[in-house]
DNA sequence: CACTAGAGTGACCATGCGCCCACTCTAGTG
DNA sequence: CACTAGAGTGGGCGCATGGTCACTCTAGTG
């Protein structure tokens, strides 16, 4: 069924399809065929818009990173209001949604992807690194406001929170957020800093 | 070059070869061909000793879990001597060696593997779950000895420590242990419990 | 209204995977 | 010393993957 009609935003359409496949079927099923089929387009579309499949995946991850960065401002604006524990729990729960977790798993699983992402300027483990920076920024703001201990080691606390929360979600196997468990983790890590 | 001579412990030989390939070349290169080539045996050997490749991988992970469990007793025996922080740092650094990290990455990457491992009775994320149980046991012992706060939430602290430490190593990309970073994580998480 | 540049299509290709199995060799048996 | 059960070998099969490209259709142009 050949069509000459242009798709609307084929790149984003493919990104969304890939996210659906990833969350629904897992990394093992994330193939170029599965993505294009899910998007309802021919295989050729992907290769017209991306150099190769790994380039597509790289841009997919970078696209998600951009969204996380957009949310970073939100968390930082919360500094000073509500409770530190509550703000962090909410940010971690909403930040590590099933798609974000699947994306992290994807990066872990695909060796090649890490190389390309590093070439794209995203050092360390992407998504996690961005998320840690976001949390560190918030914690610094709270510290400046005197709401957490002045000697709190922000640069250690941030990746610790992310790591522990990340594991929680990985363990849950892409399941729905478990805010209670995340809140306990946040409380445990910040217990000393909050006094 | 056909040989009828029996190999010595071909299963363990293949396990070791797989670990080498995994650490050296990454998950993407861990194929049945690569493993048997690394072991210096023909492809057929693997299929004589294991039903299929995923069964081999499953047993590989279970083999590593057994080693971790064997080390659990060591950590628990340390309760009461040295420092809590030091004991945990050492256990986490030696426990999350490159092979263990690669093994966790392998489990994350292979959807099929998780299903099989669960069927084998290993619930949650294997290796991580075992390690958390090990740390929880140690922390409980220290709490009974009065060396950490009586109200410390051991069951939250343990997976938090594992998660944060795990991320450290994943970020480092199978690199050598970074005891300093791990020690800071341990101190941050236990700061309140140690008062 | 003829023309064309651009976008989507899908049969096809090479590659590499897990797996099979006819075969060879050896060590043990009586 | 003939026989055989068992273990290791490796060419090759079927399949799914990522990638190619001659083709078709459409929207826009002068």
């Amino acid at each position: 069924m050949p069509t000459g009609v242009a798709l609307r935003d084929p790149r984003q359409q493919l990104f969304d399809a890939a996210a659906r496949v990833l969350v629904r079927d897992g990394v093992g099923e994330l193939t170029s065929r599965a993505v294009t089929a899910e998007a309802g387009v021919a295989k050729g579309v992907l290769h017209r818009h991306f150099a190769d499949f790994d380039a597509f995946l790289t841009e997919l991850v970078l696209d998600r990173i951009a969204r996380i960065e957009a949310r970073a401002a939100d968390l930082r604006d919360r500094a000073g209001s509500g409770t530190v524990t509550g703000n962090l729990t909410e940010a971690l729960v909403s930040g590590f949604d099933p798609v974000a977790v699947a994306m992290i798993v994807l990066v872990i699983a695909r060796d090649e992807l890490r190389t390309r992402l590093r070439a794209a300027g995203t050092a360390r483990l992407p998504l996690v690194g961005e998320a840690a920076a976001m949390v560190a920024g918030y914690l610094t703001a709270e510290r400046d406001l005197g709401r957490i201990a002045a000697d709190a080691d922000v640069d250690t606390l941030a990746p610790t929170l992310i790591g522990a929360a990340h594991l929680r979600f990985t363990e849950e196997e892409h399941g729905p957020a478990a805010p209670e468990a995340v809140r306990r983790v946040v409380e445990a890590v910040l217990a000393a800093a909050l006094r």
Side-chain angles (χ1 to χ4, degrees), chain A:
Chain A
M1 175 179 130
T3 322
V5 64
L7 300 166
R8 64 165 75 185
D9 203 352
R11 292 168 58 96
Q12 197 59 48
Q13 209 167 314
L14 288 169
F15 286 161
D16 293 344
R20 285 197 298 276
V21 171
L22 197 47
V23 171
R24 169 160 39 83
D25 306 326
V27 225
E29 302 297 320
L30 190 73
T31 65
S32 63
R33 273 177 166 77
V35 170
T36 49
E38 173 75 24
V41 300
K43 285 175 347 93
V45 172
L46 196 149
H47 292 285
R48 179 171 294 276
H49 294 277
F50 302 91
D52 55 35
F53 190 58
D54 275 315
F56 166 71
L57 294 179
T58 304
E59 296 214 37
L60 170 65
V61 172
L62 291 175
D63 179 70
R64 286 284 159 175
I65 288 179
R67 296 194 196 188
I68 288 187
E69 284 173 343
R71 207 149 32 184
D74 295 352
L75 176 63
R76 204 162 311 126
D77 287 348
R78 290 238 178 98
S81 65
T83 65
V84 176
T85 307
N87 289 338
L88 280 172
T89 303
E90 210 259 292
L92 290 176
V93 169
S94 73
F96 282 101
D97 63 10
V99 177
V101 173
M103 221 60 89
I104 292 172
V105 170
L106 170 67
V107 174
I108 291 178
R110 288 249 185 181
D111 305 338
E112 173 66 14
L113 220 51
R114 262 169 293 170
T115 315
R116 298 225 190 184
L117 283 164
R118 204 169 306 120
T122 300
R124 319 190 110 222
L125 226 195
L127 289 172
V128 172
E130 315 299 326
M134 166 181 108
V135 169
Y138 168 72
L139 285 177
T140 303
E142 291 287 16
R143 193 179 55 189
D144 293 345
L145 289 171
R147 302 221 301 164
I148 64 174
D151 63 348
D153 180 359
V154 168
D155 294 324
T156 295
L157 290 176
T160 300
L161 284 166
I162 298 292
H166 168 220
L167 184 68
R168 283 275 175 206
F169 283 91
T170 307
E171 278 188 340
E172 303 276 340
E173 300 255 341
H174 312 193
E180 281 318 305
V182 175
R183 170 177 289 272
R184 279 197 299 276
V185 167
V186 172
E187 282 170 355
V189 176
L190 291 187
L194 285 176
R195 318 228 158 157

